[in-house]
């Protein structure tokens, strides 16, 4: 189902780790649609509620589904429960849902407005096209590539720091056996990262992303 796929990808965009949709095409899920972890390593269970009929979008129906899914999350020893829905849930209603699990686990509610906000941001443009087939406008394309430029720059900076750490470790172990092989591997790795930096600066990453 697109609901589980959208839910899982949304959690990835929100920096959840080890995101795993359980039977997205249908089948028994053991009381959980999605399993994941927070950035801090807390066990997370996600549930998706994407009804099509208007009478299924009332807050009463939302509460029923939320309560059932929360029970499944607690049964699976979740420390965080994420409820994703295409229903617009008012702030007061969200607080009520959050209070239902306050003593047992942390609650996060992603309603229609919150999911829409994510999909209409640069990080969500690709997912929006994948699920809803909504193309980017020219302005959104500029915003998308600018955001990727920042992401790639941060990754290159992180990679450069890692290379320096590797070099320092190798220098400390220079008198040990195999140091010559290690230095050779380091030189190869440095050449690769230098090449990647040149590609980034010359705009080749834009061509790669455009072809995706």
């Amino acid at each position: 189902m697109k609901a589980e796929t959208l839910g899982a990808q949304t959690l990835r965009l929100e920096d959840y780790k080890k995101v795993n949709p359980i039977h997205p095409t249908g089948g028994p899920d053991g009381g959980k649609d999605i399993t994941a972890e927070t950035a801090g390593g807390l066990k997370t269970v996600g549930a998706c509620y994407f009804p099509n009929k208007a009478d299924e979008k009332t807050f009463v129906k939302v509460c029923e589904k939320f309560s059932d899914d929360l029970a499944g999350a607690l049964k699976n020893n979740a420390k965080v429960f994420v409820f994703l829905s295409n229903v617009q849930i008012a702030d007061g209603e969200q607080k009520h849902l959050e209070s239902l699990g306050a003593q047992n686990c942390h609650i996060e509610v992603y309603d229609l407005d919150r999911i829409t906000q994510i999909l209409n941001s640069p990080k969500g443009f690709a997912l929006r096209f994948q699920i809803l087939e909504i193309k980017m406008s020219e302005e959104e394309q500029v915003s998308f590539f600018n955001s990727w430029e920042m992401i790639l720059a941060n990754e290159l900076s992180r990679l450069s720091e890692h290379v320096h750490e590797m070099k320092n470790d190798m220098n400390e172990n220079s008198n040990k056996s195999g140091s010559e092989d290690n230095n050779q591997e380091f030189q190869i790795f440095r050449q690769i990262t230098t090449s990647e930096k040149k590609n980034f600066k010359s705009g080749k990453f834009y061509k790669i992303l455009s072809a995706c």
Side-chain angles (χ1 to χ4, degrees):
M1 286 181 64
K2 284 188 175 182
E4 279 78 6
T5 301
L6 174 60
Q9 296 287 23
T10 298
L11 293 188
R12 290 190 179 101
L13 291 176
E14 291 289 274
D15 294 328
Y16 285 83
K17 312 300 181 184
K18 299 181 181 179
V19 179
N20 180 35
I22 309 298
H23 295 298
T25 57
D29 56 22
K32 53 190 182 299
D33 291 331
I34 303 166
T35 60
E37 288 183 4
T38 64
L42 295 178
K43 184 176 182 179
T44 301
V45 168
C48 301
Y49 182 55
F50 285 69
N52 294 318
K53 298 179 181 179
D55 61 353
E56 295 177 341
K57 295 185 178 183
T58 65
F59 187 59
V60 172
K61 291 292 186 181
V62 170
C63 281
E64 290 177 355
K65 185 66 166 63
F66 180 92
S67 297
D68 289 343
D69 289 333
L70 176 60
L74 295 176
K75 183 180 178 181
N76 285 280
N77 301 314
K79 298 301 181 183
V80 178
F81 174 59
V82 181
F83 186 74
L84 305 105
S85 178
N86 65 342
V87 179
Q88 193 172 40
I89 304 173
D91 289 344
E93 295 171 340
Q94 289 192 37
K95 290 180 180 178
H96 173 72
L97 295 177
E98 291 167 359
S99 69
L100 298 178
Q103 296 180 354
N104 298 296
C105 68
H106 177 71
I107 305 294
E108 284 287 341
V109 177
Y110 285 79
D111 73 333
L112 176 63
D113 290 339
R114 188 172 180 182
I115 294 175
T116 299
Q117 186 178 26
I118 293 171
L119 294 179
N120 287 334
S121 67
K123 69 179 181 180
F125 289 154
L127 177 59
R128 188 184 68 183
F129 179 75
Q130 177 189 354
I131 301 297
L132 304 176
E133 299 182 355
I134 299 175
K135 296 181 179 180
M136 289 185 287
S137 66
E138 290 185 5
E139 292 79 7
E140 288 175 337
Q141 290 181 44
V142 172
S143 179
F144 175 78
F145 286 118
N146 284 340
S147 68
W148 268 100
E149 182 177 354
M150 293 179 62
I151 292 172
L152 291 171
N154 289 335
E155 285 300 306
L156 287 172
S157 176
R158 182 188 62 80
L159 189 60
S160 179
E161 291 178 1
H162 182 59
V163 170
H164 285 299
E165 291 177 359
M166 288 176 59
K167 184 177 180 180
N168 290 335
D169 290 341
M170 290 176 182
N171 287 337
E172 291 178 2
N173 298 319
S174 60
N175 294 326
K176 294 182 179 180
S177 61
S179 61
E180 183 176 346
D181 291 337
N182 288 338
N183 285 328
Q184 184 177 6
E185 291 177 4
F186 171 75
Q187 293 298 332
I188 295 173
F189 186 63
R190 186 172 63 179
Q191 290 173 9
I192 293 173
T193 56
T194 301
S195 175
E196 293 299 321
K197 288 182 179 180
K198 289 180 179 179
N199 286 340
F200 176 71
K201 291 179 180 178
S202 65
K204 289 184 181 180
F205 277 117
Y206 288 112
K207 296 177 183 178
I208 294 171
L209 289 172
S210 298
C212 293

